[in-house]
Every structure is written in structure tokens, then in C-alpha cells.
Amino acid sequence: MTVTPATRYRALVADLVTASRRHETALSAAGSSHADGTATIDHDLVAADDAVIAATARAAHAQRLVAQTDLAAGALWDELKQVRGRRGRRLGPVPGPVPLADQPPTPSPDPIALLEAAAERIDRARHGGEKLPPLILPVLFALGAACAALVALLAVFLQGHGPFGLLAGWLALLGAPLSGLLPARELADQRYGARLDPGAIGLIILAGMLATAAVTLP
């Protein structure tokens, strides 16, 4: 079948129209893709700016928290030195923070909560500490008796070693009933956060006197 020039011309025009439409479609798709890519980049830039602003705010908050914690720790340290009296002078300046490399990998407790707990303990110490629980009284009695018995035994041993030993033994024997006061005070402070009241002190001295008499008297 012979193709006429007119038919051939119409076919070429149709192909040209089809190619033109494909070209326009490709240009439209490329423009849309470019717009989408630009919008994505703009969105990422905005998100990055927001992240930087948030990180800066968190860093500033952390710096303020560190400064407040340092000030509170310094004030508590000064109060502790005042409460301890003459012994507080040996505490020196506020100790520095522990390096992160020396800290355990466990989560660190809230510094504000730790400072509040320290402030409560210092306040209790300023007002005399907690009351001694009744169950500790037998322990204090036994502690006073044990310390006095040990000192009395040492005194008896020293008295058998010449004049100087006799003198040292008598001095140790005189102080034997009081020897349980120091460990009892440390026990009450470290274990119960309390101070010895006059009744507890009298109980410890009584136990020391009885133990001293039991060791020295035949």
C-alpha cells in the first residue's frame, strides 16, 4: 500500500505533538522534583536551626543549674563548718567535683535533692540532731562497758611495770569509765544522725564505772 505525502505529513505532525507533550511532561516533573527537593532542604535547615536553638537553651539551663548548685554547695559547706565548730576549721575549702571518668556508669542522682538532704541534716545537727531511739540504749550501755573494761585491763597491765607504769595505769583507770563516750557519739551520729543526750551520757558512764569496778576489784 502506497503512503501518500499527506498521510506521511500527518504522521510526522502527530509524532511531533507527542514528543512535545512528553517534553512538557518531563519539564513539569523536573520542576516539581526541584521544588520538592528545595522544600525538603528548607525544612531540614529549619529543623537544624530549631535543634541548635534547643541545644543552646539546654546548655544555658545546665550552666545556670551548675552555678546555682555550686553556690548552694558553698553555702552548705560554710554552714557545716559553723556547726562543727573548731573541728570545722579542718574541713578546708569546698571540695571540687569528681571527674566524670571516676564516677560509676550508673545514673547520677538529682543534685538538688542531695543538697536538700544535706541541708536538712545540717539543720538537724544545729538543733541537736534526731532523738536517740530507745533501742539504742542497751547498745550504748554495752559499748560503754566494753570500752571501759578494755581500758581497765590495760591500766591493770600497766600498773605492774614500775613506777611510771603505775602512774600511767592509774591515769588510764581514772579515764576508763569515760572511754565509751567517743565511740558512742560516733555511733549515734553516723547511724542515727543524733547526739547523745544527758541521759545517754550518764548511762554510758555508769556502764563504764560498773565495768571498771568489775575488772579492778577482786
Side-chain angles (χ1 to χ4, degrees):
M1 180 178 181
T2 303
V3 179
T4 62
T7 303
R8 180 63 178 170
Y9 175 76
R10 285 194 295 270
L12 291 175
V13 171
D15 292 341
L16 180 61
V17 171
T18 302
S20 177
R21 290 177 179 175
R22 290 177 180 174
H23 178 68
E24 292 177 356
T25 302
L27 286 178
S28 177
S32 177
S33 177
H34 176 73
D36 293 341
T38 303
T40 301
I41 293 174
D42 292 339
H43 180 270
D44 292 341
L45 290 176
V46 172
D49 290 340
D50 294 340
V52 170
I53 293 174
T56 303
R58 287 195 296 269
H61 175 71
Q63 291 177 352
R64 289 194 300 269
L65 182 60
V66 169
Q68 294 174 358
T69 303
D70 290 342
L71 291 175
L76 288 177
W77 192 258
D78 292 338
E79 291 183 13
L80 178 61
K81 293 169 68 175
Q82 293 177 0
V83 170
R84 293 179 65 89
R86 289 179 297 177
R87 293 187 299 169
R89 300 175 184 175
R90 299 194 297 266
L91 293 177
V94 180
V98 179
L100 293 177
D102 298 337
Q103 294 182 357
T106 56
S108 300
D110 184 12
I112 302 300
L114 293 177
L115 291 175
E116 291 177 352
E120 292 177 358
R121 185 173 179 83
I122 292 174
D123 186 66
R124 288 198 304 267
R126 180 182 289 110
H127 293 86
E130 298 286 351
K131 293 183 178 180
L132 283 173
L135 295 179
I136 197 180
L137 296 180
V139 177
L140 296 179
F141 185 88
L143 182 61
C147 293
L150 291 176
V151 175
L153 289 173
L154 177 62
V156 172
F157 174 77
L158 292 175
Q159 287 177 352
H161 290 75
F164 292 103
L166 181 62
L167 177 61
W170 276 111
L171 293 177
L173 194 62
L174 291 176
L178 306 177
S179 60
L181 291 177
L182 182 59
R185 185 184 65 178
E186 293 297 328
L187 174 64
D189 179 61
Q190 297 295 331
R191 185 69 179 274
Y192 301 99
R195 291 184 179 180
L196 297 178
D197 53 33
I201 294 175
L203 181 66
I204 295 170
I205 295 176
L206 175 61
M209 294 174 63
L210 294 176
T212 303
V215 171
T216 56
L217 295 180

